[in-house]
Amino acid sequence: METKELQSTQFSALNAMTKDLINNGVFFLYAVDIAEKPEIHYLLSTDKSYFLISDNGSPIEKIDNINEIKTTARILFSDIKRSVESNNFKVSWAL
């Protein structure tokens, strides 16, 4: 799955804390395409719930599972700082 970076200001209905949690991998935001519900553009996955949301982040529907939903991309925010990943971190004195 590809990752897209968008400006957080596009999601005016999401608060700053939610945006930070998305960018730091605690919550997840995915682009979706649901033909029968054209007003839904994204899926927000929190620690307890799933929400189908509009293009500005307004919640439209809370759902119980995402088994039937096809995600097209993971969304991160280009204008919000992310936590540092350390997958390739090596300590120089330990080499």
Side-chain angles (χ1 to χ4, degrees), residues 43-62:
L43 165 73
L44 175 63
S45 173
T46 70
D47 57 341
K48 297 181 182 179
S49 303
Y50 302 107
F51 298 92
L52 298 175
I53 62 176
S54 70
D55 59 346
N56 73 350
S58 294
I60 294 174
E61 182 179 346
K62 181 179 177 184

Side-chain angles (χ1 to χ4, degrees), residues 19-31:
K19 292 175 184 179
D20 283 336
L21 291 171
I22 290 167
N23 247 35
N24 288 296
V26 178
F27 290 177
F28 297 94
L29 183 63
Y30 300 101

Side-chain angles (χ1 to χ4, degrees), residues 3-4 17 19-20 23 28 33 43 60 70 78 81-82 84-85 88-89 91:
T3 299
K4 289 185 179 180
M17 175 73 76
K19 292 175 184 179
D20 283 336
N23 247 35
F28 297 94
D33 185 17
L43 165 73
I60 294 174
K70 183 179 183 327
S78 59
K81 184 178 177 183
R82 288 184 211 123
V84 178
E85 295 181 20
N88 295 325
F89 180 77
V91 179

Side-chain angles (χ1 to χ4, degrees), residues 4-7 10-11 14 22 28-34 37-45 50-61 63 66 69-77:
K4 289 185 179 180
E5 292 192 5
L6 302 175
Q7 292 285 312
Q10 173 185 334
F11 296 87
L14 295 179
I22 290 167
F28 297 94
L29 183 63
Y30 300 101
V32 297
D33 185 17
I34 303 173
K37 296 181 181 183
E39 71 280 9
I40 294 172
H41 295 269
Y42 301 98
L43 165 73
L44 175 63
S45 173
Y50 302 107
F51 298 92
L52 298 175
I53 62 176
S54 70
D55 59 346
N56 73 350
S58 294
I60 294 174
E61 182 179 346
I63 58 175
I66 58 172
I69 302 210
K70 183 179 183 327
T71 58
T72 58
R74 180 177 175 197
I75 306 297
L76 293 174
F77 302 119

